[in-house]
Amino acid sequence: MGTATMQYEGAAPGLEMPWQVPVFFSVFVIFIFIGIAVNKRKKQVFEGLCSFLGGKVDGNAFLGNYSFQGVYKNRPLKIEYDPGGKNSPSWLTIIFNDPLFALDLKLSEEDFLKNTLEKFGLMKDLDSGDPVFDARFHAASGTPDLAVGYLARPEVRERITRLFDAGAYSLELIRRGATIPGLIKLKKRNPELETDLSMQNLLPILDGLDLLCSEKNGREFFGKLQGWDKLLSK
């Protein structure tokens, strides 16, 4: 019996939990609580929008993705935040509905890759007629004639430029059919939420997007191809 006891007591130390395990677990728990606290702070930033714009906030404190839905200047508005991941950026997306969009257009700033692909004819780029604007921006569209006509307007190019000066990464005008509202969508890469969603910085963005919408740039021009011209003429 004494031998058995000695063998048991001799084996017991091998069953002890390594000190690294509780330390790792404690650090893991701390990081989770810090992450949740940071994400709650992000939610508070979104909730602050309700004070100025009304609407509602949805999201998940653990995942850190939040969205705001409301109305601005009688136009449905949605603001989404995607926290990204370890190897992917975070995104802030601002979306307006526009029922009359008959064109589609995607704008982003030129870079080395885009310039190279354009030179080899592997990527098409629309020509707005403004060499300064065309040198800065890459423009692509499935309705090029409409898009060129849209970009030919100096006030449109100026408003687009201001949005990118304010930190836009991309800007899209999206058509979705004659009876489904189109969208105008602006994206910011790796945003600073407290800065980007402050009213001082957000309202100029919203006003700029509103000014790019169809009824501010020739309602009949945008509505005609979607069959809205007859409705508008009544």
Side-chain angles (χ1 to χ4, degrees), residues 3 18 30 96 98-99 113 137 150 164 169 172 193 206 226:
T3 304
I30 290 171
F96 270 136
D98 191 319
L113 177 60
F137 298 107
Y150 183 74
F164 278 88
Y169 179 84
E172 291 183 77
L193 288 185
L206 298 182
Q226 299 234 68

Side-chain angles (χ1 to χ4, degrees), residues 39 42 60-66 80-92 190-191 193:
N39 288 337
K42 293 175 182 176
N60 186 295
F62 182 76
L63 298 176
N65 53 340
Y66 294 103
E80 300 174 326
Y81 174 70
D82 178 354
K86 182 179 180 181
N87 299 311
S88 60
S90 57
W91 294 99
L92 182 67
N190 293 324
L193 288 185

Side-chain angles (χ1 to χ4, degrees), residues 166-218:
Y169 179 84
S170 66
L171 178 67
E172 291 183 77
L173 280 64
I174 304 169
R175 63 171 184 169
R176 299 196 298 177
T179 59
I180 304 173
L183 304 174
I184 183 165
K185 179 190 295 187
L186 179 144
K187 299 187 77 170
K188 283 192 171 187
R189 180 175 174 144
N190 293 324
E192 294 291 338
L193 288 185
E194 292 192 33
T195 301
D196 289 317
L197 294 183
S198 68
M199 288 299 104
Q200 179 181 356
N201 293 315
L202 179 62
L203 289 182
I205 296 288
L206 298 182
D207 289 335
L209 291 174
D210 176 66
L211 289 171
L212 288 174
C213 287
S214 59
E215 68 270 23
K216 306 295 176 67
N217 296 285

